[in-house]
Amino acid sequence: VYEQLVKEGHGTPKMFQKIANSYYFKNDHTNAKRWYEILFEAEKPTDKTLLFRYTQSLKALDLDLTTNKYLSPRLAAKNKKN
């Protein structure tokens, strides 16, 4: 439902968050990453829980955290160790 509303041009950051979280909890990390990035383009990523989920999705996809533009260098380095 939310994705259809976004396709129709009625997307909001709250919708992007719900879509991203939905994919995250289904372990569909490719789509979770996509929607977290859409969310982060709409509003600066400050929510620690969302950043954690985004980071976990990147790790699941075996992507480099240190070059990610949505993660601070300090946060990326910290999470790379885990």
Side-chain angles (χ1 to χ4, degrees):
V1 174
Y2 289 119
E3 286 187 72
Q4 184 61 37
L5 289 171
V6 171
K7 285 179 187 176
E8 293 172 4
H10 304 291
T12 66
K14 194 66 172 174
M15 284 184 194
F16 304 150
Q17 179 181 338
K18 287 181 181 287
I19 296 167
N21 286 336
S22 173
Y23 282 120
Y24 175 81
F25 288 114
K26 292 180 191 175
N27 290 319
D28 183 344
H29 296 289
T30 301
N31 278 312
K33 174 189 174 291
R34 175 177 170 249
W35 284 100
Y36 283 125
E37 290 175 352
I38 291 170
L39 170 62
F40 297 158
E41 286 294 321
E43 61 183 30
K44 184 179 177 185
T46 57
D47 183 300
K48 290 181 181 183
T49 300
L50 294 178
L51 285 167
F52 173 80
R53 291 176 185 162
Y54 177 63
T55 301
Q56 293 303 109
S57 292
L58 295 176
K59 285 181 180 181
L61 297 169
D62 200 29
L63 298 174
D64 184 8
L65 302 179
T66 59
T67 59
N68 188 282
K69 73 178 188 175
Y70 300 107
L71 301 176
S72 71
R74 186 171 154 236
L75 179 64
K78 176 184 170 189
N79 280 301
K80 188 170 184 166
K81 294 176 187 174
N82 295 337

